[in-house]
Amino acid sequence: MKDSPLIIALDVDTVEEARRLVNAIGHGADFYKVGMELYAVAGMSFVQELLGSGKRVFLDLKLYDISETVKRATRQISRSGVTFLTVHGSKAVMQAAVEGRGDSATRLLAVTVLTSFDQDDLADFGFSTPVSELVALRVRKAVESGIDGIVCSALEVAKVREIGGPGLKLVTPGVRSAGTATGDQKRVATPAEAIQAGADYLVIGRQVTRAADPKAACEQILNEIAGVVRR
Ligand code: C5P
């Protein structure tokens, strides 16, 4: 299980529901993503509970603030023992996070451009750079800043790998097995396609968390990617 690429997104609004899911998943996964919603109700105490029960945690807070604040918040979070923490992919934010992380084992992931953003959203910032160029620029800045990985869609993985090189951890949400509900995700790939394209980790939420048998849903995904060779 240590090498499993599965990260289950605990997108729920109570600690009880999160615990129920983690119990139901059992050995189906040992890596969980805690995002802003669950963090808002459960905070670091639930993160500590997960870590204490031997699970790995991806804390998806997408930090973005002045350098001093990012550095100090990252320092605190890194001390908790989470495996992954997300920050926005702007150079000052990434550099501050790298400084705050220091020599802890926490790995920092950058979000380049939110996938919900299109050219109109960039124009709203006053940017005329095409989205794909901004993603490429931010991947290069992430590598220069000492960031460990990038959150990117399966459809961006190959390009990001080409720019960022083999050492970068690529973590991809928006993954669905063939024949399962896509929900609001528009640009989906199957787990096998994402791994083949070069993803190191797959973030999967509803396919597992809304399954009648969440553990069986994890096992199905692990079967689908067994033997798939990463590019
Ligand atoms: O339920 P689903 O598998 O779509 O959940 C995917 C998870 O990945 C959610 O926690 C969502 O916030 C996150 N995510 C995403 N697309 C991105 C970045 C993060 O779906 N581009």
Side-chain angles (χ1 to χ4, degrees):
M1 185 53 64
K2 265 266 166 284
D3 293 330
S4 168
L6 267 194
I7 302 178
I8 306 302
L10 287 174
D11 294 327
V12 294
D13 58 6
T14 65
V15 180
E16 292 71 29
E17 178 61 3
R19 282 194 193 117
R20 184 194 70 76
L21 278 166
V22 172
N23 284 334
I25 289 167
H27 293 297
D30 77 340
F31 206 160
Y32 290 92
K33 181 167 91 75
V34 174
M36 282 189 255
E37 182 188 18
L38 182 58
Y39 189 77
V41 291
M44 286 309 281
S45 68
F46 183 67
V47 168
Q48 293 291 3
E49 182 179 322
L50 283 173
L51 294 168
S53 60
K55 312 297 183 195
R56 287 178 290 168
V57 174
F58 168 2
L59 191 54
D60 190 15
L61 295 184
K62 300 187 179 70
L63 300 183
Y64 186 85
D65 209 316
I66 61 168
S67 298
E68 185 66 9
T69 303
V70 169
K71 182 175 85 180
R72 294 170 74 93
T74 304
R75 182 178 298 147
Q76 292 303 329
I77 292 165
S78 301
R79 285 181 181 152
S80 70
V82 304
T83 301
F84 287 151
L85 169 68
T86 43
V87 301
H88 278 276
S90 105
K91 189 173 160 191
V93 170
M94 294 189 288
Q95 286 177 338
V98 168
E99 221 186 299
R101 179 266 308 275
D103 56 10
S104 89
T106 297
R107 298 289 136 225
L108 298 168
L109 305 178
V111 175
T112 55
V113 179
L114 292 171
T115 47
S116 57
F117 277 12
D118 60 15
Q119 208 58 49
D120 285 345
D121 294 295
L122 294 193
D124 183 56
F125 287 133
F127 297 169
S128 54
T129 318
V131 174
S132 62
E133 272 179 39
L134 189 56
V135 169
L137 175 74
R138 289 188 161 174
V139 172
R140 284 194 289 273
K141 300 272 178 205
V143 174
E144 282 167 24
S145 305
I147 288 284
D148 307 290
I150 303 285
V151 179
C152 56
S153 88
L155 307 174
E156 286 172 338
V157 161
K159 174 102 186 290
V160 172
R161 175 69 72 207
E162 199 182 304
I163 300 167
L168 212 54
K169 296 278 173 232
L170 303 188
V171 179
T172 66
V175 177
R176 289 285 182 285
S177 296
T180 56
T182 54
D184 54 0
Q185 298 279 15
K186 294 189 182 103
R187 302 165 69 223
V188 295
T190 65
E193 285 166 347
I195 295 286
Q196 222 159 23
D200 296 291
Y201 292 92
L202 310 175
V203 176
I204 301 192
R206 290 162 288 184
Q207 183 180 339
V208 168
T209 58
R210 301 210 183 157
D213 183 344
K215 183 169 189 232
C218 289
E219 284 162 355
Q220 180 203 324
I221 297 164
L222 290 171
N223 280 337
E224 285 176 38
I225 55 181
V228 173
V229 179
R230 189 171 286 135
R231 260 212 246 160

